[in-house]
Amino acid sequence: DTGVSQNPRHKITKRGQNVTFRCDPISEHNRLYWYRQTLGQGPEFLTYFQNEAQLEKSRLLSDRFSAERPKGSFSTLEIQRTEQGDSAMYLCASSLVPGQGTNEQFFGPGTRLTVL
Amino acid sequence: GNSVTQMEGPVTLSEEAFLTINCTYTATGYPSLFWYVQYPGEGLQLLLKATKADDKGSNKGFEATYRKETTSFHLEKGSVQVSDSAVYFCALSGAPEGGSEKLVFGKGTKLTVNP
């Protein structure tokens, strides 16, 4: 297993465009998390899935953001009508459900979004 | 809500110096505490963790002790190396049983170790 992967690694877009990011978790991990990290700050929680169910969303996740995990494997995060304030590193992490083993979250390399 | 306050950087040390990065937290209940490290150009990696009071997490020569009385989880290393240069994040997970276990991070401390 090569760990958590994210694509693309970098995305530059113009304000108002839609963008979609993909995360492939470690294959046996039930849980998948999305975080956002802006320059000079720590990551902030956006949302998480257990299998295909989205169980929690942060208030940071405006209605322009939508995340899916349709078959309980990979996940996508879409941002509609991007704004300059959306520029950030978007991180994905995966873990086992507590009780199934270590619940350590393993992070992907992130997708850096720049909105011009 | 839960929060983490971390020593502001950047921190610059000479090789073999002693390192302390302070971290304090505010949380309800009994959170788990973590230190993550981000090396240049790489993703976040778990460095060490502690899940209950007085636990000591350790890895790669780094240590941190979960102090409930002072709500702290300071990171220490007795002799840093150039390869330790990275950004270090303190984090907690304080979800109730069955909850998301989402991580709450501090702002990060950039460490540079010079030869």
Side-chain angles (χ1 to χ4, degrees), chain A residues 5 14 19 22 27-28 31 35 42 46 49 65 77 81-82 100 109:
Chain A
S5 61
K14 293 181 179 179
V19 294
R22 177 178 169 126
S27 57
E28 64 268 27
R31 287 193 170 180
Y35 294 84
L46 293 178
F49 293 82
F65 288 69
L77 177 68
R81 304 180 304 280
T82 52
Q100 291 185 346

Side-chain angles (χ1 to χ4, degrees), chain B residues 88-107:
Chain B
Y88 293 81
F89 293 92
C90 185
L92 68 80
S93 170
E97 188 175 336
S100 71
E101 301 205 9
K102 63 189 176 190
L103 291 165
V104 176
F105 287 88
K107 292 186 176 183

Side-chain angles (χ1 to χ4, degrees), chain A residues 7-66:
Chain A
N7 288 288
R9 294 290 304 275
H10 304 274
K11 178 71 178 178
I12 300 173
T13 191
K14 293 181 179 179
R15 189 178 53 177
Q17 298 295 305
N18 299 344
V19 294
T20 300
F21 312 139
R22 177 178 169 126
C23 171
D24 288 88
I26 293 171
S27 57
E28 64 268 27
H29 284 182
N30 321 81
R31 287 193 170 180
L32 187 149
Y33 300 79
W34 285 100
Y35 294 84
R36 180 171 67 188
Q37 185 179 15
T38 53
L39 203 60
Q41 302 294 318
E44 295 174 295
F45 170 78
L46 293 178
T47 188
Y48 96 102
F49 293 82
Q50 183 160 315
N51 301 313
E52 66 276 8
Q54 187 175 17
L55 298 185
E56 186 175 345
K57 293 195 292 186
S58 163
R59 284 172 290 179
L60 292 175
L61 213 64
S62 77
D63 56 7
R64 296 184 297 106
F65 288 69
S66 62

